Amino acid sequence: SDWANLPQNLLDSILERLTLLSDYLRFNIVCASWHSVAKHNKSRRAKTTTPMLLLQTKKRGTWSLYNVEEDKVLNLQLKIPNKRFCGSSKEWLIFVDRDLVVTLVNPFFRVKGRIKKENSIICLPPLNPQPLSRYWFSKTNYFVFKATISADPILNANYYIVVVIYEEFCRLAFIRPGKDTIWTYVDERWSLIEEVVPIRDKFYAVDRWGNLLSFDSVDQFKCNVESKAYNNTEQRSVKQYLVALNEKDFIMVERYNTRDDDSKRETMEFKVFEFSFVKCDWVETNNLGDVAIFVGDNSSIYVVASNDYGCQSNCIYFTHDYYRIRMDFKPWGPNDIGVYNIKTRSISQPFTENAMTMMKLTNRPPIWIAPPF
C-alpha cells in the first residue's frame, strides 16, 4: 500500500510498459519518487518528444495541442498571441509584429491557469533591412518567411543565435542577442533561401535551385557554396526543407504539389536526398530507416520512430505550408495535411474526420512543435 516507496526497479518496469504519452504524464505526477524515476529514465523520456500540432481555439489568443498518436486534443490551453508563427525551434515559437520586432515565445511557459514563467516571451530588436519594401512591410505576418534558433534562449542566453529568412527576396539576417543590439544582414548575393538549420558552429541553407550553402556562425556568416544545384529535369519542387538529423548529418526534402495556381494546392509526393561531401552533391534515397520527419511552417523535425509509439518510420508527416507564390496572402490550408510513405510513395491520412474539421476551423495555420519533458 506504500506506493511512494516502491523499489526503483519495479517503477522502471512499470514505466517501460506504458504505451501512451498521457499515461506517462500521469505516472510522472503520482508523487515525488515516481517523478524522480520518470525524470531520470532517459529511454522513456525520449518517447515523449513526438511532435504535436499546435491548434488555435475559437477563443482568441488561446491554443491547444493535438496529439496525433492518440488522436485527441490535450486538456491543456496555452495563452500565446494570435499570430502566424514563422518557425518553431527548440520548443520556442517565433513571430513578427507590426513594428517588425521579432519575438520568441515559449508556449509551455504560458499554460492557462498557471503562473506564467519568467522570460516566457523574449522581444528582439526590430528588423530594418534597407531598402525596405513597403508592400512586404504591410504584410508583417509574412515578412519573415521562416526562422530558427541555434539553442534554448534561456539555458544559453549569451550564446544562442536567431536566423530569419526575410522577404521579399528571401535573404538571411541573424542576431546574437547576448552580444548584438541590431540585426546583421547577410550578403545580398545569397537570396531565395528556402530553409536554414543550425548544425554545430554552422548554419546550412538550401536555396530555390537546390544549392547547399554553409555559413560560419563564428566568422560573421561567411558563406561557402558546398554544392551546385543538381539537374532535376522531371519537375520542379514547390518547397525544399533541410532536416538536421544530428550534429553533423542532414537531409534535404523536396515537396511536389499540384500545379494549378487557381485552386487549392495539394501535395503529390516528396523526394529525399542525402548530401555526399565526397561527391559534393545530393543523392536521392528512399530509405530513412527508423526515422520519421515532420515538415511545415515549423523548423523541420525528425524523431526515431522506435522511440515514439504511434509514429510511422520512413514517413514524412506534413501540414500545409506558406507558399510565397500566392501573393494575396490568403491561406489555402489546412487542406494539405497527411503522411507520406517514402518507400511506397503513398499518402495516408492520420487524422480523423473530426480532427480535420477542427483544424479547418482555426484562424491560424497549425504548426508542429515538440513538447518538452
Side-chain angles (χ1 to χ4, degrees):
S1 61
D2 190 2
W3 295 102
N5 291 318
L6 288 176
Q8 181 174 336
N9 62 337
L10 181 57
L11 291 176
D12 285 336
S13 180
I14 295 172
L15 194 62
E16 289 300 325
R17 284 169 169 77
L18 302 181
T19 60
L20 297 178
L21 173 60
S22 56
D23 290 337
Y24 176 71
L25 295 177
R26 293 184 183 102
F27 179 103
N28 185 62
I29 63 174
V30 169
C31 62
S33 62
W34 288 47
H35 170 78
S36 178
V37 169
K39 182 178 180 180
H40 292 93
N41 192 310
K42 293 182 179 180
S43 63
R44 192 59 190 90
R45 283 176 63 185
K47 297 175 183 178
T48 70
T49 58
T50 304
M52 297 185 185
L53 275 176
L54 192 63
L55 303 176
Q56 186 189 29
T57 67
K58 294 181 179 180
K59 189 174 181 180
R60 186 177 179 85
T62 303
W63 298 66
S64 294
L65 285 171
Y66 173 72
N67 187 342
V68 178
E69 170 193 339
E70 299 184 33
D71 188 30
K72 67 183 293 185
V73 177
L74 300 188
N75 186 24
L76 189 73
Q77 292 190 324
L78 309 173
K79 300 292 289 182
I80 48 181
N82 179 37
K83 298 286 185 179
R84 173 201 168 245
F85 298 109
C86 50
S88 68
S89 179
K90 313 299 182 191
E91 302 165 9
W92 290 73
L93 299 166
I94 308 165
F95 67 89
V96 181
D97 66 17
R98 292 188 176 277
D99 296 322
L100 296 189
V101 172
V102 177
T103 302
L104 312 179
V105 56
N106 191 317
F108 306 105
F109 288 179
R110 303 177 63 82
V111 178
K112 185 177 180 180
R114 301 179 189 173
I115 298 175
K116 297 181 179 64
K117 290 190 177 182
E118 186 179 359
N119 293 332
S120 62
I121 288 185
I122 300 174
C123 295
L124 303 177
L127 288 160
N128 187 31
Q130 298 298 327
L132 180 60
S133 168
R134 290 297 160 187
Y135 176 76
W136 288 105
F137 180 84
S138 66
K139 306 293 183 181
T140 52
N141 272 328
Y142 302 92
F143 185 80
V144 170
F145 170 45
K146 214 155 198 180
T148 190
I149 57 179
S150 63
D152 186 287
I154 293 181
L155 298 178
N156 301 274
N158 295 323
Y159 303 102
Y160 76 102
I161 303 173
V162 182
V163 179
V164 301
I165 305 173
Y166 67 93
E167 303 294 5
E168 61 192 293
F169 298 106
C170 285
R171 293 172 177 149
L172 292 176
F174 72 93
I175 190 170
R176 298 165 297 184
K179 300 178 181 179
D180 304 332
T181 58
I182 60 173
W183 290 82
T184 299
Y185 302 93
V186 178
D187 194 317
E188 292 184 356
R189 289 178 297 170
W190 315 117
S191 59
L192 293 183
I193 302 296
E194 289 275 316
E195 179 80 289
V196 60
V197 296
I199 300 177
R200 286 192 177 180
D201 59 351
K202 290 185 178 181
F203 280 83
Y204 284 89
V206 63
D207 67 15
R208 185 69 185 86
W209 300 278
N211 295 317
L212 179 66
L213 312 172
S214 65
F215 297 87
D216 188 341
S217 58
V218 178
D219 189 21
Q220 289 293 305
F221 268 57
K222 180 180 178 181
C223 179
N224 292 314
V225 181
E226 302 287 352
S227 76
K228 293 292 184 180
Y230 59 95
N231 293 322
N232 184 357
T233 57
E234 296 180 8
Q235 54 186 331
R236 192 176 183 185
S237 65
V238 175
K239 297 283 292 187
Q240 292 170 317
Y241 307 91
L242 280 182
V243 187
L245 302 179
N246 49 47
E247 292 187 350
K248 63 178 181 178
D249 297 321
F250 53 87
I251 58 176
M252 179 174 69
V253 176
E254 289 192 338
R255 183 175 186 167
Y256 296 85
N257 287 27
T258 53
R259 296 173 179 270
D260 187 359
D261 292 337
D262 297 324
S263 62
K264 294 180 179 180
R265 291 195 172 198
E266 294 186 356
T267 297
M268 298 186 296
E269 67 171 330
F270 287 88
K271 291 184 179 181
V272 178
F273 298 85
E274 297 174 333
F275 187 74
S276 169
F277 283 96
V278 176
K279 298 180 181 179
C280 291
D281 201 1
W282 295 105
V283 179
E284 186 174 0
T285 179
N286 64 355
N287 185 15
L288 289 176
D290 194 21
V291 165
I293 296 171
F294 296 76
V295 300
D297 266 335
N298 55 284
S299 298
S300 306
I301 305 170
Y302 97 99
V303 296
V304 179
S306 61
N307 285 347
D308 297 272
Y309 294 114
C311 184
Q312 302 175 45
S313 63
N314 207 29
C315 287
I316 299 173
Y317 288 72
F318 62 93
T319 62
H320 68 288
D321 208 337
Y322 163 52
Y323 299 113
R324 297 181 65 252
I325 196 171
R326 182 157 179 161
M327 301 303 290
D328 60 6
F329 297 101
K330 294 180 181 179
W332 277 311
N335 64 296
D336 194 14
I337 298 175
V339 178
Y340 182 81
N341 187 296
I342 298 172
K343 186 175 182 179
T344 63
R345 300 192 176 211
S346 60
I347 295 177
S348 60
Q349 183 52 255
F351 310 104
T352 63
E353 184 176 346
N354 289 338
M356 287 297 295
T357 300
M358 176 181 59
M359 281 185 273
K360 290 179 179 180
L361 292 175
T362 61
N363 294 325
R364 296 291 180 186
I367 186 170
W368 295 110
I369 190 166
F373 168 73

